[in-house]
């Protein structure tokens, strides 16, 4: 049973380009969360999605950032017109349906903006 | 007040000692509590969860929950250098009719050989 798969592991973009980060949840998991982490800092919640629905995007900047979790395929976190301040590790986590909400994390995508 | 609070540390303990990590939370209605371990440069890994008052033991790890005091802790017995990591407390917070997992900023643990 494969774990949460994130790709790419490392992504380098120049200022103004677009970054697309992908996350395939564990089999049977219908909930996906995206977190951002700066060095030596905690996990900052960005967005919580279920299949085809955004449940909570309160942690995601209103401009340039978007997320989706389509019926088929991985969840995508998209950052348009990246700036240096977007450089961070982006972690995706999935959880099964139910109230317990145990999260299983992918290996993360390290985004570097030049 | 932050929803989930932890001391950032670092917490230094000698090898073989008990490491005690603490976490407080603000939402009295929270039902589920988690401890994650994160090694430097790696992703968080779930090591313990608890939802009933009292203690829950798993090997060298014990999670303790006191809902009246809104306090959850993690004890690591016989600490090893390999336990050196950042420990993240996470709580299910009620938010607009659903549960959202909210993390503290983490406590960095250093086990000194």
């Amino acid at each position: 049973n494969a774990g949460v798969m994130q790709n790419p592991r490392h992504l380098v973009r120049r200022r103004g380009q677009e970054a697309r980060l992908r996350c395939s949840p564990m089999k049977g998991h219908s909930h996906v969360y995206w977190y951002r982490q700066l060095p030596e800092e905690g996990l900052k919640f960005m967005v919580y999605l279920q299949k085809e629905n955004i449940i909570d995007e309160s942690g995601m900047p209103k401009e340039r950032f978007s997320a989706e979790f389509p019926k088929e395929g991985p969840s995508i976190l998209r950052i348009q017109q990246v700036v240096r301040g977007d450089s961070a590790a982006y972690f995706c986590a999935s959880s099964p349906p139910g109230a317990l909400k145990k999260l299983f994390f992918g290996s993360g995508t390290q985004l570097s903006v030049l | 007040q932050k929803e989930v609070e932890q001391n950032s540390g670092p917490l230094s303990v000698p090898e073989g000692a008990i490491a005690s990590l603490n976490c407080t939370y603000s939402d009295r209605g929270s039902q589920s509590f988690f401890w994650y371990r994160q090694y430097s440069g790696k992703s968080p890994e779930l090591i313990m969860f608890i939802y009933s008052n009292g203690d829950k033991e798993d090997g060298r790890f014990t999670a303790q929950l006191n809902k009246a005091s809104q306090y959850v802790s993690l004890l690591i017995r016989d600490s090893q250098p390999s336990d050196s990591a950042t420990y993240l407390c996470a709580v299910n917070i009620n938010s607009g009719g659903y549960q959202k997992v909210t993390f503290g900023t983490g406590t960095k643990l250093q086990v000194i050989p």
Side-chain angles (χ1 to χ4, degrees), chain A residues 10-19 64 79 81-88 90 110-114:
Chain A
H10 301 276
L11 182 61
V12 180
R13 285 287 179 266
R14 296 190 181 280
R15 281 179 296 172
Q17 291 184 320
E18 179 180 285
R64 302 189 299 108
I79 311 172
Q81 299 174 341
V82 296
V83 300
R84 289 224 172 102
D86 296 332
S87 297
Y90 291 84
Q110 180 65 49
L111 173 64
S112 299
V113 180
L114 303 178

Side-chain angles (χ1 to χ4, degrees), chain B residues 1-5 24-30 70 91 93:
Chain B
Q1 182 189 5
K2 289 184 180 177
E3 292 176 308
V4 181
E5 292 206 59
T24 58
Y25 59 95
S26 60
D27 183 5
R28 282 199 168 275
S30 296
Q70 294 173 245
V91 179
I93 302 284

Side-chain angles (χ1 to χ4, degrees), chain B residues 1-104:
Chain B
Q1 182 189 5
K2 289 184 180 177
E3 292 176 308
V4 181
E5 292 206 59
Q6 297 180 255
N7 287 326
S8 60
L11 172 67
S12 293
V13 300
E15 184 174 354
I18 295 175
S20 177
L21 303 157
N22 305 314
C23 173
T24 58
Y25 59 95
S26 60
D27 183 5
R28 282 199 168 275
S30 296
Q31 298 294 320
S32 306
F33 309 86
F34 308 87
W35 284 98
Y36 289 80
R37 177 177 62 200
Q38 186 176 26
Y39 291 112
S40 181
K42 301 294 185 183
S43 57
E45 172 194 13
L46 178 65
I47 55 172
M48 288 286 286
F49 68 92
I50 187 169
Y51 44 84
S52 299
N53 270 331
D55 295 0
K56 179 182 179 183
E57 188 174 315
D58 183 1
R60 295 186 296 112
F61 298 100
T62 299
Q64 298 176 317
L65 175 61
N66 184 326
K67 289 186 179 179
S69 300
Q70 294 173 245
Y71 177 92
V72 59
S73 64
L74 179 70
L75 301 178
I76 306 175
R77 289 182 300 282
D78 188 24
S79 296
Q80 301 296 310
S82 59
D83 295 325
S84 298
T86 297
Y87 289 80
L88 300 163
C89 172
V91 179
N92 272 358
I93 302 284
N94 290 312
S95 179
Y98 63 92
Q99 300 270 314
K100 183 170 82 175
V101 180
T102 301
F103 284 82

Side-chain angles (χ1 to χ4, degrees), chain A residues 35 37 40 42-43 45 48 55-56 58 91 99-103 105-107, chain B residues 32 34 36 38 42-44 46 49 51 88 92 98-101 103 105 108:
Chain A
Y35 292 87
Q37 189 175 41
E40 305 301 318
L43 290 168
F45 168 80
Y48 166 31
I55 305 302
D56 183 344
S58 60
F91 289 102
L100 192 53
K101 294 285 187 288
K102 286 193 282 185
L103 299 188
F105 282 83
S107 300
Chain B
S32 306
F34 308 87
Y36 289 80
Q38 186 176 26
K42 301 294 185 183
S43 57
L46 178 65
F49 68 92
Y51 44 84
L88 300 163
N92 272 358
Y98 63 92
Q99 300 270 314
K100 183 170 82 175
V101 180
F103 284 82
T105 54
K108 190 170 185 177

